[in-house]
Amino acid sequence: MTSILRAISCLDDYDPESLPVPQAQVILQSLVEPVTGTERLFVKNALGRVLARPVISPINVPAHDNSAMDGYAVRATDLHGDTETRLRLVGTAFAGRAFEGYVGPGECVRIMTGALLPDGGDTVVIQEVVKVEGGEVLIPAGQKPGQNTRRSGEDLRAGLPALPAGRSLRPAEIGLLASLGIAEVTVFRRVRVALFSTGDELCSIGSQPKPGEVFDSNRYTLCAMLTRLGCEVLDMGVVRDNREDLEAALLAASANADAIVTSGGVSVGEADFIRDTLSRLGEVVFWKIAMKPGRPMAFGRIGNAFLFGLPGNPVSVMVTFYQFARDALRKLSGVSPLDPVPLLDVPCETPLRKNPGRTEFQRGHLFVQDGQWKVRVTGAQGSGILRSMAEANCLIVLEHERASIAAGEVVKVQVMDGLV
Ligand code: AMP
Ligand code: MG
């Protein structure tokens, strides 16, 4: 296993006091390796899981030549190039009920979408352009040989990969597997993530907060984000700000999980004793990331578990999770290749103040006005204001070198949710 500290010390211009966001992302990606354990699952239960082996198609798709349209199956050699052709109608081919006969010279067969192309027929003329006169069909000039047909194996060939290893299974992949008649797949086991919040001021929901206490919201936010990522979450509750409790929690977490996600305790005032504890137990680097919100963060390894020590402020927790933990945990889950999160160019309705030298993530609301997509910020942007996140449907990403933004200027936007 690569030593984290050794790997990092080889990097050019590595500055843990002001690490640019893209550099931190690259370091995380280079250090995290996918889990190796696998399991067999019914396709129906495999949504969101990651294929551990490529899926080889057992069949041709389509399995047989068939019609792409409702119309008439004909022989291309019968058609006169520039004039109408008159053909004799000899039967009908339905989807699921083939025409048993043969399309001989001068003949045609009525055919439905998905029906097998009858022997002899090689071209389909759509029903809208033909004239039917008794038992005869008039085909207009200008048809192309082979048109409106789907050929056996044109989508997928038997014996070739239908899906690669590393693919995360969405509804489209689930349907594709079913279309191949595949009932079970081999997927990576779920990544186990131990989660706890740190802080003497935290009150668990269900209890009455004493003066100065706040409800522990981060654990719920993080649990929700981890669940959406497909991780198995070990919720370890709140750990108080003392050495013994923290050490015990980290040791238990590292023994039982592939990754540990914590919130709080990494800011300047608190980092010292956490730093001692972490460095005694494993290899941990403290980063001040050149970003807002979410400047302090810890990353490392305790035993076999990767540690993501996220800041305590509720918005910082979400932003750092999205920008760092998400992709690292996806890689740990076996997803490959990791496509970058799409960044859209959208004009920003409001001016935004910013200094160059750090990446800023503002909470934004994407909306349509007069047919044009625009974005605006969701009110006050303090890193403790979770409301700004709940009202947002995107993050406005203001790049490291960028200065203030004038109203109407185009900014990069990261959409927070996908379709189902
Ligand atoms: P810290 O990073 O521990 O100094 O925390 C920074 C701020 O975030 C403080 O105002 C904390 O009260 C708040 N905070 C820390 N942990 C949580 C949590 N689990 N839920 C809600 N707020 C928190
Ligand atoms: Mg704290």
Side-chain angles (χ1 to χ4, degrees):
M1 213 181 268
T2 339
S3 156
I4 290 180
L5 300 176
R6 192 148 24 90
I8 286 175
S9 68
C10 298
L11 297 171
D12 291 339
D13 62 17
Y14 168 70
D15 179 4
E17 292 299 311
S18 180
L19 194 61
V21 171
Q23 202 179 352
Q25 286 167 333
V26 168
I27 294 174
L28 288 177
Q29 282 304 308
S30 68
L31 291 169
V32 171
E33 290 299 333
V35 295
T36 50
T38 62
E39 58 184 314
R40 293 281 290 172
L41 285 183
F42 284 118
V43 163
K44 218 175 170 181
N45 299 330
L47 181 66
R49 303 298 293 272
V50 183
L51 285 179
R53 318 245 180 285
V55 172
I56 306 299
S57 181
I59 56 171
N60 273 342
V61 178
H64 306 279
D65 297 350
N66 67 84
S67 178
M69 302 292 278
D70 288 346
Y72 293 84
V74 305
R75 304 162 66 93
T77 49
D78 274 349
L79 302 178
H80 316 139
D82 326 327
T83 57
E84 216 171 46
T85 310
R86 185 175 287 271
L87 297 171
R88 199 152 43 81
L89 185 59
V90 296
T92 305
F94 296 96
R97 190 146 46 91
F99 171 71
E100 302 288 350
Y102 179 77
V103 185
E107 295 178 345
C108 71
V109 162
R110 172 112 174 87
I111 193 164
M112 307 304 167
T113 306
L116 296 193
L117 212 54
D119 288 342
D122 54 26
T123 298
V124 171
V125 182
I126 58 171
Q127 60 188 13
E128 290 79 358
V129 301
V130 308
K131 271 199 248 96
V132 182
E133 291 177 356
E136 290 187 330
V137 177
L138 288 173
I139 310 284
Q143 310 301 321
K144 293 193 183 62
Q147 70 184 15
N148 302 319
T149 62
R150 300 189 283 224
R151 295 291 163 179
S152 168
E154 80 178 20
D155 295 341
L156 288 171
R157 288 227 154 260
L160 294 183
L163 291 172
R167 176 69 65 85
S168 166
L169 299 175
R170 303 166 303 159
E173 282 82 12
I174 298 288
L176 178 62
L177 290 165
S179 77
L180 302 177
I182 292 173
E184 284 188 10
V185 281
T186 304
V187 297
F188 288 110
R189 69 170 176 80
R190 275 184 204 281
V191 167
R192 273 190 299 276
V193 181
L195 165 67
F196 60 83
S197 300
T198 70
D200 285 338
E201 77 284 24
L202 299 181
C203 168
S204 293
I205 58 176
S207 313
Q208 190 62 36
K210 299 190 190 69
E213 287 189 342
V214 295
F215 284 116
D216 170 18
S217 61
N218 288 347
R219 201 153 43 89
Y220 290 83
T221 318
L222 284 167
C223 186
M225 290 194 289
L226 289 165
T227 302
R228 275 207 173 169
L229 262 187
C231 300
E232 194 184 309
V233 182
L234 307 176
D235 183 346
M236 297 178 62
V238 174
V239 173
R240 298 302 169 192
D241 289 321
N242 69 69
R243 215 175 284 274
E244 296 72 36
D245 288 0
L246 184 67
E247 190 164 323
L250 287 168
L251 283 175
S254 68
N256 292 301
D258 304 299
I260 308 167
V261 176
T262 67
S263 85
V266 289
S267 58
V268 176
E270 295 180 306
D272 287 352
F273 94 89
I274 288 208
R275 188 190 308 254
D276 290 350
T277 309
L278 292 176
S279 41
R280 204 145 24 87
L281 299 180
E283 279 192 300
V284 180
V285 282
F286 273 81
W287 286 336
K288 290 191 182 125
I289 302 202
M291 69 188 285
K292 185 185 171 188
R295 198 161 109 89
M297 200 181 116
F299 170 70
R301 191 157 43 208
I302 297 177
N304 288 325
F306 287 99
L307 174 93
F308 300 90
L310 306 182
N313 272 311
V315 175
S316 309
V317 162
M318 292 195 76
V319 172
T320 49
F321 186 93
Y322 281 146
Q323 305 309 319
F324 304 112
R326 173 189 183 273
D327 272 358
L329 291 171
R330 275 163 64 79
K331 183 161 182 205
L332 201 57
S333 309
V335 177
S336 83
L338 274 188
D339 295 326
V341 179
L343 279 177
L344 313 179
D345 287 317
V346 183
C348 185
E349 192 181 51
T350 39
L352 302 174
R353 287 171 58 83
K354 176 179 184 297
N355 292 323
R358 67 183 182 200
T359 308
E360 286 196 19
F361 298 89
Q362 306 226 358
R363 278 69 74 202
H365 190 256
L366 267 175
F367 62 101
V368 186
Q369 194 176 51
D370 304 328
Q372 156 89 60
W373 282 97
K374 294 181 180 172
V375 67
R376 67 164 76 95
V377 287
T378 58
Q381 296 286 305
S383 59
I385 305 176
L386 207 45
R387 182 187 50 73
S388 69
M389 204 76 196
E391 286 172 4
N393 57 9
C394 68
L395 291 172
I396 302 171
V397 184
L398 304 176
E399 301 94 323
H400 193 89
E401 297 306 339
R402 200 139 182 199
S404 290
I405 310 294
E409 213 173 298
V410 169
V411 292
K412 299 277 184 210
V413 157
Q414 255 177 13
V415 177
M416 291 200 284
D417 281 315
L419 298 176
V420 290

